[in-house]
Amino acid sequence: MDPTPPRNSSVTVADVARMAGVSKATAARVLGGYGTVSDRVRDAVTLAARNLNYRPNELARSMTTGRSGTIGVVVGDIENPFFSLAVRGITDIARQAGFTVILTNSGENTETEKAAIRTLLAKRVDGLIVSPAKESDVDHLKDAIRSGCPMVLLDRGSRALGVDTVVADDGQAAEGITRRLIAGGHRRIAYLTACDTPDHCFRTSSDISTGSVRRRIEGFLRACREAGLAGMEAWVRLGALAPEETQRIATAMLTAKHAPTAIIASDSVIGLDVFKVCRTLGLDIPRDLSLVSFHDADWTAVTTPPVTVVRQPVYQLGETAARLLVERLNGDGGPASRVVLQTELVERASVADLSTEEMPRASE
């Protein structure tokens, strides 16, 4: 009997078993990676599968093993270099552990995030890594956890969920760079973020639903209060959601009578747009404006001048989140952990020390 299946049929486990000269159950154990067989049998089945160009039926395998071999990842903006690098860290660890990553993009929209979670659960992912768009709206994540799907939060935490979380020390980083600017004579310091409120005005940190940004703003304001600067909440500018909005906000600030002498960009996408606005307006960095950006994106080191940044351990954030999830999938039942990774201030040439002449305070 010819053991080779007809050319117009898909190759099955039974076809591999016939070619290898073993039972279907034995071939299934080898191809599914469960049970024990001898090295000779494993080699025979593997060779037969390769010769037949066998491709496993993932749905059937998931029904047999209870695993799909996939991890679902939901991030806020895949075009942001921060998330791109974090996802690289996730996929590298996932691949080493034998998992495939299914990536979805929420666009920082909670409804889109909810739809993405539903889709990933329908695909029977083994676990989830999520950067929640809003920490105040996580009932859908609670439902996913209750369904038995392990979850790790990336860059943004939520104590309401009680799951493993990996973040950077955003608050301390913002506090440190603000102190650096104040020590250099800056008093009109703006913090620019994509986060927003219905009226586009910042009042308290509770207005900010993204945890990483909230921690940065709190650090910024702590350093300002420590230095005796009043009314600095007015220098927190919201709504830099896209290049057009960022450029409009930055242009309005930089052409105002009391323009900021320094801007802290909440991410490198915003930082690049502020840099472009300065070029358009003919402003010199750092003589006319000192610029600092969160995230050490490639462009920040090659501009003239190169930009001072808060370097975040982005790749390590993704790596750590994936490792925690893989440990859960491998049976770790310990209490949820919160991992805080350290950032680093990389000083370049975009920050100027002002003269000792007293600068107007933000409240003046």
Side-chain angles (χ1 to χ4, degrees):
M1 178 182 293
D2 183 359
T4 304
R7 291 182 181 274
N8 61 354
S9 65
S10 60
V11 179
T12 66
V13 173
D15 297 326
V16 175
R18 275 196 301 274
M19 177 169 278
V22 300
S23 69
K24 181 178 176 182
T26 298
R29 283 198 295 275
V30 175
L31 297 171
Y34 61 92
T36 57
V37 297
S38 68
D39 291 341
R40 181 187 62 79
V41 168
R42 181 177 295 104
D43 291 344
V45 172
T46 302
L47 179 61
R50 186 182 305 118
N51 289 339
L52 292 172
N53 196 27
Y54 170 77
R55 294 289 182 270
N57 183 320
E58 297 296 341
L59 177 59
R61 185 167 69 176
S62 68
M63 293 176 66
T64 302
T65 65
R67 290 281 187 90
S68 66
T70 58
I71 291 172
V73 176
V74 185
V75 298
D77 180 7
I78 196 58
E79 291 185 352
N80 188 320
F82 176 94
F83 285 117
S84 300
L85 186 54
V87 169
R88 176 64 184 272
I90 292 170
T91 55
D92 284 351
I93 295 301
R95 184 175 60 252
Q96 293 171 19
F99 291 93
T100 299
V101 169
I102 301 176
L103 175 63
T104 58
N105 186 54
S106 73
E108 302 291 8
N109 180 281
T110 306
E111 294 306 313
T112 304
E113 179 180 293
K114 291 176 181 178
I117 295 293
R118 287 195 298 269
T119 298
L120 291 169
L121 292 177
K123 290 183 177 295
R124 302 174 63 88
V125 295
D126 296 322
L128 289 165
I129 297 175
V130 183
S131 290
K134 289 186 178 180
E135 292 182 18
S136 58
D137 190 353
V138 294
D139 284 347
H140 56 297
L141 301 182
K142 290 180 181 178
D143 290 341
I145 295 166
R146 279 195 290 266
S147 75
C149 187
M151 181 183 299
V152 175
L153 301 184
L154 172 69
D155 184 50
R156 305 165 183 180
S158 176
R159 300 192 185 281
L161 296 176
V163 297
D164 294 323
T165 304
V166 186
V167 298
D169 65 340
D170 297 290
Q172 291 182 13
E175 193 170 342
I177 188 56
T178 305
R179 285 199 188 108
R180 164 72 178 82
L181 291 168
I182 292 171
H186 294 272
R187 298 297 179 268
R188 298 197 299 269
I189 306 168
Y191 186 97
L192 181 55
T193 174
C195 291
D196 208 356
T197 60
D199 62 0
H200 314 300
C201 291
F202 174 85
R203 294 174 182 82
T204 69
S205 61
S206 61
D207 292 335
I208 307 299
S209 59
T210 301
S212 56
V213 177
R214 182 173 63 250
R215 292 190 298 273
R216 292 171 199 170
I217 293 174
E218 288 171 344
F220 165 71
L221 293 174
R222 269 197 309 273
C224 292
R225 286 193 296 269
E226 183 182 86
L229 302 183
M232 294 302 287
E233 289 81 3
W235 288 95
V236 177
R237 303 299 170 90
L238 311 179
L241 293 164
E244 297 77 14
E245 284 89 348
T246 304
Q247 291 166 18
R248 177 183 55 78
I249 295 167
T251 299
M253 283 197 295
L254 294 172
T255 56
K257 181 179 179 181
H258 296 295
T261 63
I263 290 179
I264 302 173
S266 199
D267 62 51
S268 62
V269 176
I270 293 172
L272 179 57
D273 284 324
V274 173
F275 194 97
K276 290 177 179 177
V277 168
C278 288
R279 288 290 180 264
T280 300
L281 296 176
L283 299 177
D284 180 84
I285 298 174
R287 188 188 64 221
D288 299 317
L289 178 76
S290 290
L291 176 62
V292 179
S293 176
F294 272 81
H295 183 47
D296 187 16
D298 289 342
W299 71 266
T300 61
V302 298
T303 51
T304 303
V307 175
T308 293
V309 298
V310 175
R311 178 181 288 159
Q312 299 160 284
V314 184
Y315 182 86
Q316 290 77 14
L317 285 168
E319 271 191 324
T320 306
R323 284 200 180 98
L324 289 172
L325 183 58
V326 169
E327 288 171 4
R328 293 296 181 189
L329 294 173
N330 288 337
D332 182 0
S337 60
R338 179 181 175 83
V339 180
V340 181
L341 301 181
Q342 298 302 302
T343 58
E344 175 189 2
L345 176 63
V346 181
E347 296 203 48
R348 293 181 177 136
S350 65
V351 174
D353 285 337
L354 303 182
S355 67
T356 56
E357 181 181 350
E358 181 67 20
M359 293 290 297
R361 293 182 178 238
S363 58
E364 296 178 353

